[in-house]
């Protein structure tokens, strides 16, 4: 929870003058061809030259196919990647690309007439088409086309790069062939009425068809696919095929998935409409040492910090620090959890933290996480888990793990997340993707509004931590990015000792809650609408809160519980 991350952002006014944001898609003449080579980056960086080794091909995110270009500016290098294309003199060409990221540029030099460029200040988390045109001179046969990011900005991603115009005689990429059959088809995340179907990506595919008992039921851009509306305790057969412009390829081997019988004989307490979350420290770092029974009744969700990694990838365990907590025994710990549960509280196990080393990057580790987490829930009485991995996560396999855990634990499972601010700036990020992937089973995302530095708000302006605007403008990104208001909470330190930076007084937290839920007590930023269903607030930690005389919970809890 205390990992310092910062991001310096530049305003558009500091960028080079003369650029235009172009969203026009353009359309090529029927006789035109794409004279760019390897524009989909399916062959790595072949035909491309990138400055100072700043470019790399990644498998995610991609617009189409299996690869995309990721450029990472550093120092005085803007991560430019370019190639030289063969063109006809006195001809017009349309150059375009799909982009993600802040401040992405596209252009052409050596045209023989007027060199061109265009740029966009940001793609808002999704793919955006950037496009412009150039005309060649009377003797021009070679033109250099390029793309780059901007100094001091994060990495950008480019895919589907094209230069359409008359054939200059330099050859073009061969047309696509029908893709092969997907491999690795598997079923996970079974529930009473749905399951998750996953498979390995197929090179050259632009999409996939999902077949249920021989009937096509879904068209998706990639794995995994959520299959819903199924009958409980029923087996289904599934196959997947890949397609592209050349047509549909062969189906995968059939895989069978069986839904659960539904129901949960021992449901957890319901999380209230507006909830206060606090992290409980399983260690002594100078804050007040607490037993679970000592945690204020103001807290509705208590996140035990933290689970421990094992030698098995993805698997977790829990080791109570009995010595550090003054002789707190496992038996007392379990009894205290049961008492909180009887009082209607949710005690969950947090996975990660600043020093967390849990990694879930394949199906095996996803299953290991789900199985071990469920075993700990049964052993200790935890109502669910919290995801607080501060070194990133794989949305595909974390989704698989959480859905598998949900299938085991039932509908009363509590799932919370505590991403850093940088993790929730864009829906393309791993945390945001995971949250949206499990929206139907997600309880709340309590983003950490501290140890952050400045960040973009949903209005595109940059806000500094420590203000009501920072809380509201960043929460707005999640609220407008697809999460339900009930899945958004404000995470702040309980005292200045709880974080390296970003502490705000309870008054500012309460003003932010009022601003988002009621439209009152806002700063300079005011959301375009109110979100009365906002879940509430979170703090690190209940121990630091106790150390400060419970000033945070005594002030913020009444505000949270009094929201509309």
């Amino acid at each position: 929870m205390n990992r310092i991350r910062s991001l310096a952002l530049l305003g558009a006014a500091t960028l080079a003058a003369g650029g235009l944001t172009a969203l026009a898609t353009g359309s090529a003449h029927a006789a035109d061809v794409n004279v760019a080579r390897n524009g989909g980056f399916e062959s790595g960086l072949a035909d491309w030259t990138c400055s100072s080794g700043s470019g790399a091909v990644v498998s995610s995110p991609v617009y189409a196919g299996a690869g995309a270009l990721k450029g990472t500016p550093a120092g005085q290098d803007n991560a430019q990647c370019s190639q030289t294309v063969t063109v006809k003199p006195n001809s017009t060409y349309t150059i375009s690309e799909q982009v993600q990221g802040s401040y992405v540029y596209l252009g052409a030099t050596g045209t023989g007439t007027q060199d061109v460029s265009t740029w966009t200040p940001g793609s808002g988390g999704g793919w955006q088409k950037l496009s412009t045109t150039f005309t060649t001179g009377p003797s021009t046969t070679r033109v250099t086309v390029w793309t780059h990011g901007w100094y001091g900005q994060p990495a950008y991603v480019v895919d589907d790069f094209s230069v359409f115009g008359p054939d200059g005689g330099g050859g073009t990429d061969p047309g696509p062939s029908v893709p092969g059959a997907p491999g690795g088809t598997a079923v996970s995340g079974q529930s009473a009425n749905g399951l998750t179907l996953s498979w390995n990506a197929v090179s050259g595919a632009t999409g996939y068809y999902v077949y249920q008992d021989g009937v096509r039921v879904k068209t998706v851009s990639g794995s995994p696919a959520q299959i819903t509306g199924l009958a409980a305790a029923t087996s289904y057969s599934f196959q997947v095929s890949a397609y592209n412009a050349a047509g549909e390829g062969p189906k995968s081997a059939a895989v069978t998935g069986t839904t659960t019988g539904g129901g949960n004989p021992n449901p957890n307490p319901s999380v209230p409409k507006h909830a206060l979350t606090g992290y409980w420290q399983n260690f002594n770092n100078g804050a007040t040492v607490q037993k679970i029974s000592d945690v204020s009744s103001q807290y509705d969700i208590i996140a035990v910090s933290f689970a421990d990694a094992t030698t098995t990838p993805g698997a977790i365990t829990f080791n109570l620090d009995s010595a550090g907590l003054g002789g707190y025994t496992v038996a007392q710990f379990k009894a205290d959890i049961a008492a909180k549960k009887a009082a209607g509280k949710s005690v969950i196990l947090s996975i990660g933290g600043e020093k967390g080393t849990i990694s879930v990057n394949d199906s095996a580790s996803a299953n290991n996480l789900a199985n071990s987490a469920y075993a700990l829930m049964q052993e200790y009485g935890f109502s669910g888990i919290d995801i607080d991995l501060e070194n990133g996560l794989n949305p595909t396999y974390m989704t698989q793990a959480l859905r598998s855990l949900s299938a085991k634990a039932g509908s009363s499972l509590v799932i919370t997340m505590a991403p850093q601010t940088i993790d929730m700036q864009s829906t393309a990020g791993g945390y945001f993707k995971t949250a949206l992937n499990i929206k139907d089973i997600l309880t709340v995302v309590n983003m950490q509004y501290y140890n952050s530095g400045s960040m973009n708000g949903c209005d595109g302006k940059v806000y500094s931590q420590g203000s009501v605007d920072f809380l509201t403008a960043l929460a707005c990104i999640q609220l407008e990015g697809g999460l339900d208001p009930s899945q958004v909470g404000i995470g702040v330190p309980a005292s200045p000792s709880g974080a390296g930076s970003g502490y705000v007084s309870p008054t500012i937290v309460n003003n932010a809650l009022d601003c988002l839920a009621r439209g009152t007590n806002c700063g300079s930023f005011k959301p375009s609408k109110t979100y009365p269903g906002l879940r509430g607030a979170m703090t690190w930690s209940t121990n630091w809160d106790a150390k400060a005389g419970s000033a945070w919970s005594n002030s913020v809890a009444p505000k949270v519980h009094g929201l509309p």
Side-chain angles (χ1 to χ4, degrees):
M1 299 290 294
N2 295 319
R3 185 178 179 207
I4 298 176
R5 295 289 298 270
S6 63
L7 178 67
L9 299 176
L10 298 177
T14 66
L15 300 177
L20 296 174
T21 301
L23 299 179
T25 57
S27 58
H29 187 273
D32 289 347
V33 299
N34 181 12
V35 298
R37 291 293 193 94
N38 191 27
F41 304 96
E42 306 303 313
S43 301
L45 288 176
D47 300 295
W48 290 91
T49 300
C50 296
S51 59
S52 303
S54 58
V57 172
V58 295
S59 58
S60 178
V62 297
Y63 179 76
L69 168 68
K70 180 178 181 180
T72 305
Q76 297 302 306
D77 177 30
N78 60 10
Q80 176 168 302
C81 293
S82 64
Q83 70 168 271
T84 300
V85 297
T86 304
V87 295
K88 273 190 172 183
N90 296 320
S91 300
T92 298
Y93 292 82
T94 298
I95 176 176
S96 66
E97 63 184 4
Q98 295 286 343
V99 304
Q100 280 191 25
S102 302
Y103 304 110
V104 187
Y105 287 70
L106 171 70
T109 56
T111 62
T113 57
Q114 181 177 359
D115 292 347
V116 298
S117 66
T118 186
W119 63 281
T120 175
S123 57
W127 288 99
Q128 175 184 352
K129 191 167 188 177
L130 196 59
S131 180
T132 188
T133 61
F134 64 87
T135 300
T136 57
S139 59
T140 302
T141 58
R142 304 274 281 174
V143 170
T144 298
V145 292
W146 49 262
T147 186
H148 64 68
W150 196 250
Y151 309 103
Q153 296 299 299
Y156 67 91
V157 183
V158 164
D159 203 356
D160 202 24
F161 190 100
S162 65
V163 183
F164 274 99
D167 188 352
T172 61
D173 282 338
S177 57
V178 174
T185 310
V187 170
S188 64
Q190 294 92 334
S191 67
N193 303 110
L195 47 77
T196 301
L197 184 66
S198 60
W199 58 91
N200 297 334
V202 176
S203 177
T206 56
Y208 299 87
Y209 297 130
V210 176
Y211 291 84
Q212 176 182 314
D213 295 330
V215 178
R216 185 190 298 177
V217 293
K218 271 184 175 289
T219 301
V220 296
S221 59
S223 174
Q226 307 303 325
I227 313 298
T228 58
L230 305 177
T234 304
S235 295
Y236 297 88
S237 177
F238 296 95
Q239 291 176 286
V240 182
S241 67
Y243 69 86
N244 59 20
E248 179 183 3
K251 295 184 181 67
S252 67
V255 62
T256 299
T258 303
T259 52
T260 64
N264 183 0
N266 186 28
N268 297 309
S270 298
V271 176
K273 178 181 179 181
H274 301 297
L276 195 73
T277 300
Y279 284 78
W280 175 85
Q281 298 177 185
N282 181 39
F283 49 86
N284 182 356
N285 65 346
T288 299
V289 172
Q290 291 183 312
K291 298 178 174 65
I292 291 294
S293 56
D294 297 329
V295 176
S296 168
S297 61
Q298 303 270 27
Y299 290 98
D300 304 291
I301 302 174
I302 303 167
V304 171
S305 309
F306 294 97
D308 296 308
T310 73
T311 56
T312 302
I316 58 172
T317 188
F318 177 72
N319 299 294
L320 184 69
D321 184 12
S322 295
L325 301 181
Y328 194 18
T329 68
V330 171
Q332 287 177 301
F333 179 71
K334 291 179 179 179
D336 287 347
I337 291 176
K340 286 291 185 182
K341 189 172 182 177
K345 309 299 182 181
S346 300
V347 182
I348 62 177
L349 180 60
S350 183
I351 301 171
E354 180 187 5
K355 298 179 180 179
T357 57
I358 293 92
S359 180
V360 179
N361 291 318
D362 54 29
S363 291
S365 56
N367 288 332
N368 292 337
L369 175 58
N371 292 336
S372 58
Y374 186 58
L376 292 171
M377 289 175 61
Q378 293 179 303
E379 179 180 357
Y380 289 94
F382 296 124
S383 294
I385 62 173
D386 168 69
I387 304 301
D388 183 22
L389 299 173
E390 300 196 357
N391 296 307
L393 53 78
N394 183 308
T396 297
Y397 296 109
M398 183 56 71
T399 296
Q400 177 183 326
L402 296 177
R403 288 202 171 276
S404 179
L405 178 60
S406 175
K408 298 173 185 295
S411 59
S412 63
L413 174 69
V414 176
I415 300 177
T416 69
M417 292 183 171
Q420 299 167 107
T421 52
I422 189 66
D423 296 320
M424 300 299 285
Q425 283 277 286
S426 164
T427 54
Y431 253 105
F432 216 140
K433 278 186 177 180
T434 302
L436 295 176
N437 285 348
I438 63 163
K439 185 176 177 180
D440 57 315
I441 58 173
L442 174 65
T443 306
V444 63
V445 175
N446 291 306
M447 188 174 77
Q448 303 174 44
Y449 293 75
Y450 50 97
N451 293 341
S452 169
S454 300
M455 285 286 157
N456 278 328
C458 66
D459 57 355
K461 295 181 180 179
V462 178
Y463 294 95
S464 298
Q465 66 179 8
S467 67
V468 66
D469 288 333
F470 187 76
L471 303 181
T472 54
L474 269 67
C476 174
I477 296 176
Q478 300 169 63
L479 291 162
E480 295 301 310
L483 292 181
D484 188 84
S486 67
Q487 296 172 320
V488 176
I490 295 175
V492 294
S495 75
S497 301
S501 65
Y503 170 76
V504 294
S505 71
T507 300
I508 288 184
V509 179
N510 290 345
N511 287 345
L513 293 170
D514 275 337
C515 179
L516 293 168
R518 297 186 172 97
T520 61
N521 291 327
C522 299
S524 62
F525 171 79
K526 185 171 184 178
S528 59
K529 61 182 179 181
T530 59
Y531 308 91
L534 193 76
R535 179 66 77 174
M538 170 275 281
T539 195
W540 177 268
S541 60
T542 65
N543 306 74
W544 286 115
D545 184 28
K547 181 81 170 181
S550 299
W552 190 89
S553 57
N554 286 340
S555 176
V556 178
K559 176 64 68 175
V560 166
H561 296 141
L563 290 173

